Amino acid sequence: MKKTSFVWHPNTQMREWDSFDEIKSAKGVWLTDSKGNKILDAVGSMWCNVWGHSNPELVNAITTQSKKLQHSSMFNLTNEPAEKLAEHLVKISPKMHRVFYSDNGSSAMEIAIKLALQYWKNIGEKKKTRIATLENGYHGDTFGAMSVGYVPEFFGKFKKQLFTTLQFPVPNEYRVPNGFTFLDHQNYCLEKIEKEFSKKTNIAAFIMESGAQVAGGVIIYPKGFQKKISQLCKKYDVLFVLDEIATGFGRLGSMFQYEEQKSIPDIVAYGKMLTGGYLTMAATLTNKKVYDSFLGEFNDWKHLFHGHTYTGNPIAAAVALESLKMYKKYNLIKKIYNTSKIFEKYYQKISEIDIVGDIRHKGMLMGIEIVSNKKRKTPIRPKKSINKIFFEEGKKNGIYLRTLGNIVMLVPPLIITESELNLLLDKTILTIKSAMPKVL
Ligand SMILES: Cc1ncc(COP(=O)(O)O)c(C=O)c1O
């Protein structure tokens, strides 16, 4: 008889799954299940793995630190790894001044929202309370994060409890509205933002993902788009808040997208790959202007009321620090530049598949949009979850996939070798082809 599992899995219709494969161990890009099958981790264990699994340097950083201090509170105290990591993060994050730790991306975004809203209160601008965002963005699953990254399909059931934001359209080259060229549409999106900003409608902050909307289907912003929004924020005195949780630390080919896009934020959130994918930690960084607004006498009540039990955990900080040092040691960003070209070699072969509507790729991220009608660009909607179909087909081909809606996501560990990436892309093609009759 099958053993009962008491685990409730994330974003999962539990009735669809009889059981879940158990991963027993992992090395490099390979996961090994309890039956001894090896599968390639095509999604970098939910987009967070940098150096592959069981990397000896990172494992050593964890074991060494855990023997010294496994956890102590950041309330009234501090610890060496958290201090060193904050110093390092400030050093590599242009114009950032202080680091506020948390333990997951959603929390880092909650903190970013609170900082942005409280900043205006602290400087006496009580009316600036509205938040502007981009349509189709995603910032996590907690209430603040759901409000600023409102995805109707995911969060519609909580709509009444969420706060309203001003949402602006995002240019998407694959789905340009009728009557527009792609360039016209970009200008239209930016003009809409400027029009609203110029009405002086008490907007406290503009919050967006940096470089691309990842969960929204790998929508890579056109060149200059993010920069222009940052300039509009400066011009109209709106705080510019970036979410680098999925895109920072090399995923899109540069350390931080905000640097590449020449769009310096007031507040930026990091998560996922911050610890190389080994432990749970996130961080919200601010510039000096925002930080200074929180300073005052105790009874001014300008300080930030936020703190989690595991904030600044020394083991997580130690492994994050080690991972960040390794970027330089192994010249990772340059390596990614070369590995990333392998994806380009496959554009043609993938796009020839009947159900592939579009391929969107940057750095070490590729989204393959699956459609039922190429001409009409109709997103595929089978009765069973697309994710489960692709997961099962992927498994047969030796790859671990987790699709997002109708997008097949390739988000491998950054350290994947060129031959492993060739293998992954060959297996992805086989998987899409074998899934085709099941999704149509
Ligand atoms: C851009 C972005 N922000 C925030 C989050 C939330 O992070 P977490 O899942 O660690 O709460 C995610 C997660 O996918 C994300 O992609």
Side-chain angles (χ1 to χ4, degrees):
M1 220 175 75
K2 203 162 59 69
K3 214 176 130 213
T4 306
S5 164
F6 294 94
V7 180
W8 189 344
H9 288 253
N11 294 355
T12 299
Q13 174 44 261
M14 293 297 287
R15 191 179 266 184
E16 255 194 347
W17 298 72
D18 289 334
S19 63
F20 293 85
D21 298 333
E22 192 180 309
I23 298 304
K24 282 283 186 198
S25 64
K27 182 95 194 127
V29 299
W30 296 96
L31 307 170
T32 305
D33 70 17
S34 53
K35 294 180 190 131
N37 300 312
K38 279 194 185 329
I39 47 173
L40 205 160
D41 188 357
V43 291
S45 292
M46 280 328 272
W47 322 345
C48 66
N49 195 294
V50 178
W51 302 101
H53 298 270
S54 304
N55 176 284
E57 282 155 283
L58 297 179
V59 171
N60 182 45
I62 292 172
T63 46
T64 307
Q65 181 56 40
S66 59
K67 285 177 196 161
K68 285 197 245 171
L69 173 69
Q70 92 296 341
H71 183 61
S72 89
S73 170
M74 294 296 278
F75 292 81
N76 292 356
L77 299 171
T78 192
N79 66 70
E80 191 187 5
E83 288 292 335
K84 282 192 173 162
L85 176 63
E87 190 181 341
H88 192 97
L89 286 174
V90 166
K91 203 161 104 195
I92 62 173
S93 306
K95 302 281 183 212
M96 292 301 111
H97 183 64
R98 287 291 186 271
V99 177
F100 196 100
Y101 288 119
S102 54
D103 19 309
N104 59 74
S106 306
S107 299
M109 287 309 296
E110 296 292 329
I111 293 159
I113 296 164
K114 283 170 82 171
L115 287 170
L117 292 173
Q118 194 178 326
Y119 165 79
W120 294 108
K121 295 250 175 345
N122 285 352
I123 65 161
E125 279 269 8
K126 300 219 163 37
K127 285 191 181 150
K128 286 218 181 208
T129 55
R130 303 178 78 193
I131 290 191
T133 61
L134 290 178
E135 286 167 7
N136 194 53
Y138 175 80
H139 299 284
D141 290 344
T142 49
F143 273 80
M146 286 195 287
S147 301
V148 296
Y150 182 67
V151 184
E153 273 175 335
F154 296 177
F155 307 139
K157 293 184 183 70
F158 310 106
K159 194 167 185 207
K160 274 200 172 153
Q161 285 78 25
L162 301 178
F163 62 79
T164 47
T165 59
L166 276 165
Q167 287 199 348
F168 293 96
V170 196
N172 172 354
E173 196 166 7
Y174 183 56
R175 294 184 191 280
V176 179
N178 284 340
F180 283 98
T181 64
F182 183 42
L183 189 62
D184 287 344
H185 193 237
Q186 289 168 46
N187 291 332
Y188 167 82
C189 296
L190 291 166
E191 278 158 18
K192 272 197 103 158
I193 298 173
E194 176 145 28
K195 208 166 153 201
E196 193 61 42
F197 279 11
S198 64
K199 285 194 229 155
K200 305 230 177 313
T201 42
N202 295 322
I203 301 171
F206 194 101
I207 299 182
M208 64 189 283
E209 284 156 89
S210 191
Q213 295 185 318
V214 183
V218 189
I219 310 299
I220 297 156
Y221 307 135
K223 199 162 180 266
F225 180 70
Q226 183 168 318
K227 181 177 175 190
K228 183 73 189 162
I229 296 178
S230 75
Q231 289 169 340
L232 291 175
C233 284
K234 278 219 169 59
K235 182 170 169 191
Y236 293 98
D237 205 15
V238 169
L239 288 180
F240 185 49
V241 179
L242 284 177
D243 176 346
E244 292 256 358
I245 290 158
T247 50
F249 302 103
R251 176 58 63 197
L252 296 191
S254 57
M255 195 61 178
F256 299 116
Q257 278 299 296
Y258 85 74
E259 256 193 297
E260 186 187 313
Q261 308 290 331
K262 299 190 176 33
S263 55
I264 303 282
D266 296 286
I267 300 171
V268 62
Y270 299 151
K272 288 200 188 273
M273 299 205 295
L274 169 60
T275 64
Y278 278 61
L279 283 174
T280 172
M281 175 173 251
T284 311
L285 280 70
T286 76
N287 61 14
K288 190 169 183 316
K289 175 177 93 171
V290 172
Y291 177 72
D292 283 353
S293 79
F294 284 76
L295 303 178
E297 298 303 324
F298 179 78
N299 282 327
D300 294 341
W301 296 101
K302 284 187 169 180
H303 45 293
L304 179 68
F305 278 85
H306 197 101
H308 298 288
T309 308
Y310 286 101
T311 288
N313 175 263
I315 307 179
V319 73
L321 197 58
E322 188 63 31
S323 171
L324 291 175
K325 283 184 190 156
M326 285 163 64
Y327 276 73
K328 203 166 174 197
K329 185 168 164 194
Y330 296 110
N331 213 348
L332 185 65
I333 298 299
K334 176 138 188 269
K335 186 197 166 300
I336 294 167
Y337 178 79
N338 295 324
T339 320
S340 167
K341 292 192 185 135
I342 305 276
F343 282 103
E344 291 168 25
K345 265 186 11 191
Y346 281 81
Y347 284 0
Q348 176 82 22
K349 261 195 202 163
I350 298 173
S351 59
E352 279 166 3
I353 305 173
D354 286 346
I355 54 171
V356 170
D358 193 26
I359 300 171
R360 299 187 277 275
H361 161 238
K362 189 168 181 188
M364 296 301 286
L365 171 69
M366 181 181 258
I368 303 166
E369 180 155 351
I370 306 296
V371 292
S372 52
N373 184 315
K374 256 189 197 254
K375 245 195 183 151
R376 292 205 197 109
K377 305 183 179 179
T378 322
I380 217 141
R381 294 226 185 279
K383 280 206 177 91
K384 225 172 136 181
S385 87
I386 311 176
N387 165 55
K388 190 154 193 296
I389 297 168
F390 275 94
F391 171 76
E392 280 165 359
E393 293 307 313
K395 206 167 79 173
K396 287 182 202 157
N397 289 303
I399 55 176
Y400 164 46
L401 286 179
R402 171 87 195 183
T403 57
L404 258 175
N406 65 323
I407 315 290
V408 174
M409 304 287 290
L410 297 182
V411 201
L414 298 186
I415 199 66
I416 190 168
T417 63
E418 294 187 9
S419 63
E420 285 164 340
L421 188 54
N422 276 308
L423 189 75
L424 169 59
L425 286 154
D426 285 334
K427 285 174 179 292
T428 302
I429 291 172
L430 288 176
T431 301
I432 299 174
K433 285 184 176 164
S434 63
M436 190 149 61
K438 298 184 176 153
V439 293
L440 279 174

